[in-house]
């Protein structure tokens, strides 16, 4: 059940309305039933995997808190919880990747290795809910949260439908505490949540899905594309993935807010970042902080010297790349983001001296603009490997850009990729207007804290006018797919 589907637009109001009127003690059970129904609309059988992960981490929490007498026993239960959950993740997501890699490695040595091909469907959202459940196990072990004895409340924490399949990856100290109190919806929360949902639909259905029309064609027909077209496609993919995933997060956070829940912020104007490190403080915040707290810091973080710090950073980002997908292109993407930060850290003193010699202020607008531009170029370069279907494709596209750009810049008009020139111009104007709205909204949030809070302080007719304009824009310019099939969210595949 996609957020941008008619099914969800019927499902959500019913769930939210009944949640607001049923007795307090029934609220958790109602949301739990709704969340499992939401997941089972995709594949009912795979709800058993969700239930298994929930049961394992619930029992591990009980055993850590009440059954283990020693630290060694507690660590054992944590390890068993991780092994059980990561085994599921490995089987469904990584088994074919590992087997293929082994076959290729042995083939290079002229050894034929016979390994099975696992023909299974990747459960939607499995990486998200397993990471969320595992964080609870670690938090109980560390003593950061109390063990949850009520299975229904804990099961809702793992399966809460707004953020079940694509995050934000919540922490037990934040979401589980709210579930224990079963918050009541408020009029202010409903207004604020609906506005945020509308903004998410704007990002997803107009900017992301319209950009995808070009991006998909560029990457599908990359061998026939010139350098300008490839550059245009890669630039548009940066917009597509931001608005696709950011749009999902905003719809999820808004839907939760309508029902009285608060989810963590997942995006903080990432393309305003002044460094790659700053970018990862703003992009997919729930995952970045998960890897920081449960991988980077346990590896030693920055406490064991500079060399170890950078090694830990590279390990963390390569694992983060692998989390996103079972292909070497994702590992390379993660490694690039780690390497950019290592190089940035090593060259920081030199760059500061150059700025001092040129008398460029560290906090001046020239320095800020240059830092943002360089950061975006580096991030977008890495996005090429993220989006490419294979390493060969990514290298082919990169080689074409580097070798043919100046020869093909006179063909720049052909980046429109549409047979009808009038339609192309209309599409460009529409995208430019939508992109301007996105830029102004992000700029407002970066400088003054967000337009939504300001809008909610305005008279009702101003709020209504903006909401109606937003709905009309989504209805007129949104992409609905063939036969009005909702276009899927990119991060569902992870």
């Amino acid at each position: 059940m996609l957020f941008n589907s008619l099914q969800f637009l019927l499902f959500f109001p019913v769930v939210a309305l009944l949640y607001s009127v049923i007795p307090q003690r029934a609220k958790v059970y109602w949301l739990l039933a709704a969340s499992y129904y939401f997941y089972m609309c995709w594949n009912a059988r795979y709800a058993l995997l969700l239930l298994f992960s929930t049961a394992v981490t619930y029992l591990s929490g009980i055993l850590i808190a009440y059954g283990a007498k020693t630290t060694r026993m507690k660590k054992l239960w944590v390890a068993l919880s991780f092994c059980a959950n990561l085994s599921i993740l490995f089987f469904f997501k990584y088994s074919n990747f590992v087997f293929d890699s082994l076959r290729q490695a042995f083939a290079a040595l002229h050894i034929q290795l016979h390994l099975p091909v696992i023909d299974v469907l990747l459960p939607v959202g499995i990486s998200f809910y397993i990471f969320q459940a595992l964080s609870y196990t670690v938090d109980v072990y560390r003593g950061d949260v109390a063990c949850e004895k009520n299975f229904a409340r804990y099961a809702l924490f793992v399966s809460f439908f707004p953020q079940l399949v694509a995050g934000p990856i919540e922490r037990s100290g934040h979401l589980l505490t709210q579930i224990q109190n079963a918050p009541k919806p408020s009029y202010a929360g409903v207004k604020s949540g609906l506005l945020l949902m509308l903004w998410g639909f704007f990002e997803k259905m107009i900017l992301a899905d319209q950009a995808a029309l070009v991006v998909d064609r560029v990457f599908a027909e990359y061998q026939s594309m010139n350098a300008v077209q490839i550059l245009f496609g890669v630039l548009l993919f940066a917009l597509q993935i931001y608005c696709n995933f950011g749009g999902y997060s905003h719809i999820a956070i808004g839907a939760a807010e309508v029902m009285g829940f608060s989810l963590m912020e997942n995006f903080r104007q990432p393309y305003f970042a002044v460094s790659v490190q700053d970018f990862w403080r703003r992009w997919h915040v729930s995952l970045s902080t998960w890897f920081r707290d449960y991988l980077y810091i346990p590896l030693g973080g920055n406490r064991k010297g500079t060399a170890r710090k950078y090694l830990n950073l590279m390990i963390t980002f390569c694992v983060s790349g692998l989390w996103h997908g079972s292909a070497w292109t994702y590992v390379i993407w993660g490694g690039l983001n780690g390497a950019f930060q290592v190089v940035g850290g090593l060259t920081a003193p030199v760059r500061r001296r150059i700025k001092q010699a040129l008398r460029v202020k560290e906090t001046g607008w020239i320095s800020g603009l240059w830092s943002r531009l360089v950061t975006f170029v580096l991030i977008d370069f890495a996005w090429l490997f993220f989006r490419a279907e294979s390493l060969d494709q990514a290298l082919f596209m990169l080689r074409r850009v580097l070798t043919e750009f100046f020869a093909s810049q006179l063909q720049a008009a052909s980046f429109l990729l549409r047979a009808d020139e009038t339609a192309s111009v209309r599409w460009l104007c529409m995208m430019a207007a939508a992109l301007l709205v996105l830029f102004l909204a992000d700029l407002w949030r970066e400088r003054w804290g967000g337009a939504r809070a300001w809008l909610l302080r305005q008279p009702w007719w101003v709020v209504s006018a903006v909401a109606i304009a937003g709905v009309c824009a989504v209805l007129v310019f949104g992409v609905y797919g063939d036969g009005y099939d909702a276009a899927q969210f990119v991060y569902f595949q992870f």
Side-chain angles (χ1 to χ4, degrees):
M1 188 189 300
L2 300 175
F3 282 168
N4 54 325
S5 66
L6 179 61
Q7 190 179 10
F8 181 78
L9 295 181
L10 297 175
F11 165 83
F12 177 66
V14 172
V15 172
L17 182 61
L18 288 179
Y19 175 78
S20 67
V21 299
I22 60 177
Q24 186 76 5
R25 61 186 177 185
K27 290 183 183 295
V28 168
Y29 298 99
W30 169 242
L31 283 184
L32 180 59
S35 296
Y36 267 80
Y37 172 79
F38 176 85
Y39 193 80
M40 291 168 69
C41 284
W42 172 73
N43 189 312
R45 292 176 298 174
Y46 279 4
L48 293 174
L49 291 175
L50 174 62
L51 182 61
F52 175 79
S53 178
T54 302
V56 168
T57 48
Y58 170 78
L59 289 174
S60 68
I62 296 289
L63 291 168
I64 291 167
Y66 302 108
K69 302 299 183 182
T70 64
T71 301
R72 184 176 180 180
M73 283 300 297
K74 290 181 179 181
K75 288 182 177 179
L76 176 62
W77 292 123
V78 172
L80 290 175
S81 176
F82 267 71
C83 287
N85 280 278
L86 294 181
S87 295
I88 298 171
L89 191 59
F90 174 83
F91 175 78
F92 282 96
K93 190 170 183 177
Y94 300 109
S95 54
N96 283 327
F97 167 66
V98 172
F99 293 161
D100 287 342
S101 298
L102 287 174
R103 276 192 290 266
Q104 291 172 13
F106 277 87
L109 301 173
H110 305 288
I111 300 173
Q112 190 172 8
L113 191 64
H114 297 283
L115 292 171
V117 175
I118 310 299
D119 185 17
V120 292
L121 183 66
L122 179 65
V124 66
I126 187 171
S127 298
F128 288 90
Y129 69 70
I130 282 183
F131 268 39
Q132 183 160 311
L134 288 177
S135 69
Y136 166 79
T137 302
V138 178
D139 290 344
V140 172
Y141 166 77
R142 292 174 175 174
D144 295 337
V145 297
C147 172
E148 176 56 63
K149 298 179 183 178
N150 186 294
F151 182 75
R153 285 200 292 258
Y154 178 71
L156 179 58
F157 161 70
V158 178
S159 64
F160 187 48
F161 75 86
Q163 48 86 225
L164 171 59
V165 294
I169 302 171
E170 274 294 341
R171 305 296 182 84
S172 51
H174 184 231
L175 180 58
L176 186 54
T177 304
Q178 296 178 66
I179 291 172
Q180 290 166 348
N181 299 320
K184 297 179 181 179
S186 65
Y187 177 66
V190 171
K191 280 202 310 180
S192 178
L194 289 176
L195 280 176
L196 188 57
M197 291 179 73
L198 179 59
W199 176 246
F201 283 120
F202 175 87
E203 290 179 296
K204 160 64 178 169
M205 298 181 69
I206 296 180
L207 281 162
D209 289 349
Q210 289 284 0
L213 298 176
V214 172
V215 172
D216 290 348
R217 182 175 174 189
V218 168
F219 279 84
E221 304 173 16
Y222 66 95
Q223 291 179 322
S224 62
M225 297 291 164
N226 62 47
V228 174
Q229 291 169 334
I230 290 173
L231 275 176
F232 186 60
V234 176
L235 285 170
L236 273 183
F237 180 68
L239 173 68
Q240 179 199 354
I241 194 166
Y242 173 39
C243 292
N244 190 296
F245 192 26
Y248 180 94
S249 294
H250 289 138
I251 297 169
I253 296 168
E257 191 173 357
V258 167
M259 296 184 290
F261 292 88
S262 171
L263 299 182
M264 70 182 298
E265 186 180 24
N266 217 16
F267 288 87
R268 299 169 183 157
Q269 304 80 248
Y271 292 140
F272 280 82
V274 295
S275 66
V276 175
Q277 184 182 45
D278 185 32
F279 175 85
W280 282 102
R281 295 192 189 106
R282 297 164 174 263
W283 179 275
H284 203 174
V285 178
S286 63
L287 181 67
S288 301
T289 54
W290 196 100
F291 276 114
R292 179 197 67 195
D293 295 342
Y294 302 110
L295 181 59
Y296 177 72
I297 292 176
L299 285 172
N302 58 2
R303 304 186 305 276
K304 298 186 177 182
T306 302
R308 181 63 180 272
K309 178 183 77 171
Y310 290 141
L311 175 62
N312 294 339
L313 190 67
M314 288 301 300
I315 292 172
T316 300
F317 273 88
C318 287
V319 173
S320 173
L322 195 59
W323 178 91
H324 282 82
S326 53
W328 286 110
T329 49
Y330 291 109
V331 179
I332 292 170
W333 168 78
L336 284 171
N337 277 278
F340 292 152
Q341 294 180 69
V342 171
V343 173
L346 292 174
T347 60
V350 176
R351 288 184 286 113
R352 277 195 296 268
R353 286 196 291 269
I354 292 174
K355 288 179 181 179
Q356 290 171 358
L358 296 175
R359 296 184 179 181
V360 176
K361 292 182 179 179
E362 194 77 31
T363 57
W365 72 269
I366 295 178
S367 176
L369 181 62
W370 174 254
S371 297
R372 288 178 172 87
L373 179 61
V374 171
T375 300
F376 179 79
V377 170
L378 293 175
I379 293 298
D380 203 33
F381 171 74
W383 282 139
L384 169 62
F385 292 88
F386 188 96
R387 178 60 179 80
E389 296 293 333
S390 66
L391 181 58
D392 287 341
Q393 179 184 352
L395 293 177
F396 180 94
M397 296 174 75
L398 180 61
R399 185 165 56 249
R400 175 152 293 182
V401 169
L402 294 176
T403 59
E404 299 181 13
F405 176 73
F406 294 104
S408 62
Q409 62 182 343
L410 295 178
Q411 306 172 41
S414 66
F415 70 70
L416 298 176
L417 301 174
R418 289 168 178 256
D420 185 343
E421 184 178 345
T422 303
S424 297
V425 172
R426 284 201 303 265
W427 181 85
L428 273 178
C429 291
M430 182 275 296
M431 286 296 288
L435 187 57
L436 178 62
V437 172
L438 175 68
F439 172 77
L440 293 176
D442 276 4
L443 179 63
W444 194 325
R445 185 172 180 78
E446 183 78 5
R447 294 291 182 85
W448 302 290
R452 183 168 51 123
W454 173 86
L455 181 60
L456 290 170
R457 295 193 297 268
Q458 305 310 306
W460 67 268
W461 60 269
V462 175
V463 179
S464 300
V466 171
I468 292 171
V471 171
C472 290
V474 170
L475 291 175
V476 173
F477 299 112
V479 175
Y480 298 94
D482 296 335
Y484 292 90
D485 275 341
Q488 193 174 44
F489 289 86
V490 169
Y491 264 67
F492 275 23
Q493 64 185 297
F494 308 135

